[in-house]
Each structure stands twice: as structure tokens, then as C-alpha cells.
Amino acid sequence: MIFFDDFHKEINLVLTDVYSFIGSLEKPISDLGISFLDKFKVSMKGFNTFLLFPYWLSEGFDIPDKEDISRKLSNLDVYGIMHLRIIDDILDNPEKIDRNLLLLSNISEFKMYEICFKLIGRNENFLKDLEDTLTHFSNAVLYEKEHYSYKGHLTEEMKNFNYELMARKAFHLRIPILSYLYLEESDERKRNDFFSMMEYWGTSMQLFNDVLGWKDDFTSCQMTYPLVKAIGYLEDENLVDKGKVDVMDIAAAFIETDILENTLELSLNYQKSAIESIKSYNLFYLNRYFEDSADKISSSIDKFKNKRESVLKDILN
């Protein structure tokens, strides 16, 4: 895949930067940080995508010192996803996570802002946009925790599930966009195009991940769009008692209906919208990545459909 293969040097440079900074901290936080990053960069799907996003994005902006700025914003992205993962893990599994990681999260968040301010300088409009970005992220996380935690009852908020809201959690990808827009002094049209792209891509990623990770989400009582549809189907058809759904019931609902395929269709449409929103800009690598993602989603739709039809055929026979 050319969008990864052409960037081995950049990946190594950014990881060297981050490891060097974390390793320079006093012990024991340096040991904790290096251990976390070692595991995190392997376990997190899409780590290299997030790391390289600022490099791919840079092609669409006319700014000096592009290579240096891309590297710094990629550093920012790594610190951002470390911060986000720690916060998410603490909120989702507080009893399982090492709470000392909160200290590493604080340092990662500081490094994000330090990189921003060194690049942009003191700009009141940028600070307001940054504040709004982080507020939207925080509100999305809080709304998810308050309204999408399943306790045996589908609430009205769940039935009207807002899957677009979850795209706002990807604040670490919004900040590089924001930084490039201010560095270039881009116009309002470009600003709208790039943030629309982020909304579409973020929603597509969320829906795709909700399909692949439905079992873990259900086990942790975290409602997602396909789970809401599955439980609603089971209850509306009186196939289960309300509040008594188990993982096998959910699996059966996905076999009996096209909920997963429909969710992937939504994901695919959002991915196509992301491609469309930036088609007028010179973004070769990002476009190639988006097109590859769309192909994977499309392939997954066919696989789910064929597998479901095969299982139903076996049951009927």
C-alpha cells in the first residue's frame, strides 16, 4: 500500500522523536511511557494511519517548511492518540487500567498544545477554535457515557442514535487540520471542505468499527448503532423479553436481518462523501487511503451478506 510504503522514513523519524522525549523524562514516568507506547503502537488498529495523516494532509496546503511542519504535527497526533486512548480506557475500564497512566496523559496533552502554540503563535481565533474542538470532543465523550450505556432498556436517545456525534471524538485529527488552515491562512470554503471531510471520515470509521467490534461493545454495555437496531428488532418481534438480551440473541438478530450490511452501507456512503469533499485538492496519498478504505468496506458488505445467507441456507436445510 503506497500510502504506507512511501513513508517508512517518516514513521521512524516521528517515533524516534516521541520515544526520545518520553525517555528523557524522569523515572518512573519514562519507563511507564515507553512501556505504554511499545504496546499501544502494536495493539491500536490504525496507529500508522493517524501518525501519517498530517503528512498526507500537507499536500493540500501551500506553506513553507512543509516537511518539518508535517513531522511536528505527526508528533502531535501521536501524543493526541496516546492521550485519547488513556482517557477512553479510564472511562471504559477504570478497574483494569493503571491509573498512573493519567500522569502520562497529562504530559501527552501538554505536548500537543506546546507543538500547536510553537507553530501558530498567539492567535486568539486559533485558540477559540482549539477550545471549541476540545469542548466538542469532551461533550461527545460525556454524551456517550451518559446516554449510550445499556442497562437493559433502550432509551429514546438510543433509539435515535446519533452516530455522527462520535466523529467528534477524533480531536487529534482535527487539530492538524486546524493548524494547516491557520498556517496557510486558508479561506472559509477550504475550511468547510476539510472539516466536512473529517466529519464524514470520522463517522465512516466509527460505523465500520461498530460492526467489527459489536461483541466487545455489547459485553461492555456500550450501545452502538447496529446494537440498537439488533435489540430493537428482537424486542419488537417479541423474540426476547425486554432487558434479557444476550450475546447469542444479538448474533441471531444479525443473521436474521441485514443490520450489519446496512450499517456498512452507511459507512461506505460516508467514506465516499469524504472522498468527494476534498476531490478538488491535491491530496494523492489521502485519496488513495480513502479509496482503499472504501474498497475494504465494500468487500466487507459482500462478505457479511454471503456469510449470512450461507448460515440461513444451512438452517433452512
Side-chain angles (χ1 to χ4, degrees):
M1 294 178 283
I2 191 171
F3 41 83
F4 290 144
D5 294 341
D6 286 0
F7 289 91
H8 288 304
K9 182 190 77 172
E10 287 78 4
I11 291 172
N12 289 332
L13 284 172
V14 172
L15 286 176
T16 298
D17 291 342
V18 177
Y19 270 112
S20 177
F21 169 74
I22 293 175
S24 71
L25 300 172
E26 292 184 10
K27 292 179 181 293
I29 193 68
S30 59
D31 291 339
L32 182 67
I34 288 173
S35 174
F36 176 78
L37 185 55
D38 282 343
K39 297 172 185 175
F40 177 55
K41 70 180 183 182
V42 174
S43 65
M44 182 180 185
K45 294 178 181 177
F47 180 86
N48 283 348
T49 298
F50 298 145
L51 185 156
L52 289 175
F53 179 67
Y55 281 100
W56 300 339
L57 198 62
S58 69
E59 293 185 299
F61 293 88
D62 183 17
I63 55 174
D65 304 317
K66 190 176 289 188
E67 186 72 20
D68 179 61
I69 290 171
S70 299
R71 180 174 172 178
K72 288 174 179 174
L73 289 175
S74 290
N75 270 259
L76 181 152
D77 237 356
V78 174
Y79 291 120
I81 55 179
M82 288 171 64
H83 172 61
L84 177 58
R85 173 51 64 88
I86 293 168
I87 294 297
D88 255 359
D89 284 350
I90 287 172
L91 289 172
D92 291 342
N93 302 295
E95 69 286 349
K96 295 181 180 179
I97 193 170
D98 180 355
R99 288 177 176 255
N100 291 325
L101 285 171
L102 268 175
L103 304 173
L104 178 64
S105 177
N106 291 339
I107 294 170
S108 298
E109 188 177 22
F110 164 76
K111 287 298 290 183
M112 287 172 51
Y113 302 146
E114 180 187 51
I115 292 168
C116 277
F117 299 149
K118 284 184 176 179
L119 283 175
I120 308 300
R122 184 167 182 80
N123 184 309
E124 294 299 325
N125 291 329
F126 175 78
L127 289 175
K128 182 63 173 67
D129 278 335
L130 183 60
E131 175 189 309
D132 290 345
T133 298
L134 295 170
T135 301
H136 292 155
F137 156 74
S138 300
N139 281 335
V141 172
L142 191 59
Y143 190 92
E144 181 182 35
K145 301 307 171 189
E146 289 185 348
H147 297 290
Y148 294 158
S149 294
Y150 184 62
K151 299 175 182 176
H153 171 64
L154 282 184
T155 64
E156 286 304 310
E157 288 85 359
M158 291 176 188
K159 291 177 183 178
N160 298 303
F161 197 91
N162 182 5
Y163 45 76
E164 292 183 346
L165 180 69
M166 297 301 102
R168 295 182 179 178
K169 290 174 64 178
F171 75 96
H172 58 289
L173 299 176
R174 293 174 180 274
I175 296 176
I177 295 174
L178 199 58
S179 299
Y180 280 128
L181 290 169
Y182 273 90
L183 287 168
E184 188 190 53
E185 299 180 353
S186 306
D187 59 25
E188 194 65 22
R189 174 179 171 272
K190 190 166 188 176
R191 177 189 175 97
N192 291 338
D193 287 343
F194 275 80
F195 278 116
S196 292
M197 174 270 289
M198 190 62 246
E199 292 286 338
Y200 295 137
W201 180 33
T203 303
S204 177
M205 282 194 294
Q206 184 65 55
L207 289 166
F208 186 70
N209 290 335
D210 288 346
V211 168
L212 298 185
W214 71 263
K215 190 178 294 184
D216 288 339
D217 289 330
F218 181 74
T219 302
S220 61
C221 299
Q222 182 62 53
M223 280 295 95
T224 61
Y225 177 76
L227 286 177
V228 169
K229 291 295 182 183
I231 295 172
Y233 162 76
L234 291 166
E235 292 184 350
D236 291 345
E237 297 296 322
N238 295 315
L239 298 172
V240 296
D241 294 330
K242 289 190 176 182
K244 301 296 184 181
V245 180
D246 63 27
V247 70
M248 294 305 294
D249 295 321
I250 299 292
F254 288 148
I255 291 171
E256 294 167 12
T257 70
D258 56 1
I259 291 170
L260 292 182
E261 293 103 298
N262 287 344
T263 304
L264 288 172
E265 288 283 1
L266 280 172
S267 174
L268 181 59
N269 290 336
Y270 276 103
Q271 188 63 57
K272 288 178 177 178
S273 294
I275 294 170
E276 186 69 19
S277 65
I278 54 171
K279 69 177 184 179
S280 63
Y281 302 97
N282 182 31
L283 293 160
F284 172 76
Y285 288 104
L286 188 57
N287 271 313
R288 288 291 293 271
Y289 174 77
F290 280 172
E291 288 165 0
D292 182 74
S293 297
D295 289 343
K296 287 179 179 176
I297 298 168
S298 183
S299 176
S300 295
I301 293 171
D302 293 335
K303 287 178 182 177
F304 274 103
K305 182 179 180 181
N306 293 337
K307 189 173 182 179
R308 186 171 64 83
E309 289 177 349
S310 175
V311 171
L312 283 174
K313 184 177 179 181
D314 288 343
I315 291 171
L316 292 173
N317 290 337

